[in-house]
Amino acid sequence: MLPTQPGPLGTTPALLIIDPQYDFLDPDGAVYCPCSSVDSTAEVVENIRSLVAAARRADLPVIWTKESHRDDRSDYGAELLSVERDHTLAGTEGEQFLSTFNSEQDLPPAEYLVRKRRYNCFHNTDLDHLLSTFDIDTLVLAGVTTNVCVHYTAQGAHERDYVFRVVEECTAGTSQSLHDAALEMLTYLQPSGVQPLESVTDALADYDGNETVKRVKRTGSVVDLEK
């Protein structure tokens, strides 16, 4: 059941960090995202780091996504028609997370990697299964790009009856007009769907934590192995 007054976090939130990879966040990346609601992409990265730290303290499940394509482009599908250059090819530096974030092999307990081939993080992934495990009703979204993967994932969440909360200062787009338009469209879809970072971190400071996350951090499993 959706919360009737979800506020910045809903009732049982999860944090989803979308594609914090070199190809999107490094100036030399194939699809660099230079445009945001703050002064620079570097500031967006620092804001994401602050948001992740707050989510960890609040015992939220944290889910990271990584877009990855085979180097022969056999899984590109309709993306072959896109204006975007080749990007996030498997085994390239562009596919990797920025070094300022944990690597996929070094994620803390109750943090998970979802690999994807398409913009919408729900498409042919196990994201819905993870959210069900932690009884999630709200997705807090950060990452890139505002006008593509963030936008389409928020819409995918909406279609699956989740609350979404896109953290404005933690997103960046391929152009200023597209970044701004994506935020406007998401606000149309859910009128409180775009939230300022301060509101989200303040709410996280007061959040009691997800009990399943606490169990994973304490025992290493979502179930009580001693029973």
Side-chain angles (χ1 to χ4, degrees), residues 155-178:
Q155 180 170 322
H158 182 82
E159 291 169 348
R160 290 164 176 80
D161 297 329
Y162 292 100
V163 175
F164 66 78
R165 294 293 183 256
V166 175
V167 186
E168 181 170 0
E169 301 94 326
C170 294
T171 64
T174 53
S175 76
Q176 196 64 51
S177 61
L178 290 174

Side-chain angles (χ1 to χ4, degrees), residues 36-225:
S36 67
S37 299
V38 294
D39 290 338
S40 68
T41 303
E43 185 174 349
V44 170
V45 170
E46 288 308 306
N47 287 339
I48 293 173
R49 284 166 50 84
S50 296
L51 179 62
V52 170
R56 287 170 173 166
R57 290 192 297 269
D59 289 325
L60 262 65
V62 178
I63 302 168
W64 304 78
T65 72
K66 172 183 272 194
E67 184 172 342
S68 181
H69 293 290
R70 295 183 176 92
D71 59 10
D72 66 356
R73 285 69 167 172
S74 57
D75 56 12
Y76 257 67
E79 281 196 47
L80 290 170
L81 305 175
S82 172
V83 300
E84 296 174 349
R85 293 168 47 198
D86 286 348
H87 59 280
T88 61
L89 295 176
T92 66
E93 181 184 46
E95 184 210 20
Q96 301 305 308
F97 285 170
L98 286 188
S99 59
T100 52
F101 299 111
N102 288 80
S103 71
E104 61 189 88
Q105 292 84 21
D106 191 33
L107 293 177
E111 299 194 21
Y112 306 93
L113 176 71
V114 170
R115 294 179 180 273
K116 65 188 183 72
R117 307 288 187 184
R118 295 293 184 268
Y119 302 146
N120 181 353
C121 295
F122 287 95
H123 182 78
N124 287 345
T125 73
D126 63 350
L127 177 58
D128 237 344
H129 296 293
L130 280 171
L131 300 179
S132 177
T133 294
F134 293 94
D135 197 26
I136 299 303
D137 61 37
T138 302
L139 269 182
V140 179
L141 303 177
V144 288
T145 66
T146 321
N147 50 295
V148 187
C149 295
V150 174
H151 179 197
Y152 294 121
T153 299
Q155 180 170 322
H158 182 82
E159 291 169 348
R160 290 164 176 80
D161 297 329
Y162 292 100
V163 175
F164 66 78
R165 294 293 183 256
V166 175
V167 186
E168 181 170 0
E169 301 94 326
C170 294
T171 64
T174 53
S175 76
Q176 196 64 51
S177 61
L178 290 174
H179 169 81
D180 294 341
L183 295 179
E184 184 176 355
M185 287 187 286
L186 292 173
T187 299
Y188 181 87
L189 197 59
Q190 289 191 15
S192 297
V194 179
Q195 291 283 323
L197 176 60
E198 184 177 9
S199 294
V200 174
T201 54
D202 284 351
L204 286 171
D206 294 330
Y207 184 63
D208 289 335
N210 185 293
E211 292 303 317
T212 305
V213 169
K214 293 178 183 178
R215 185 179 301 117
V216 170
K217 289 182 176 181
R218 186 176 66 251
T219 70
S221 174
V222 298
V223 296
D224 189 345
L225 297 176

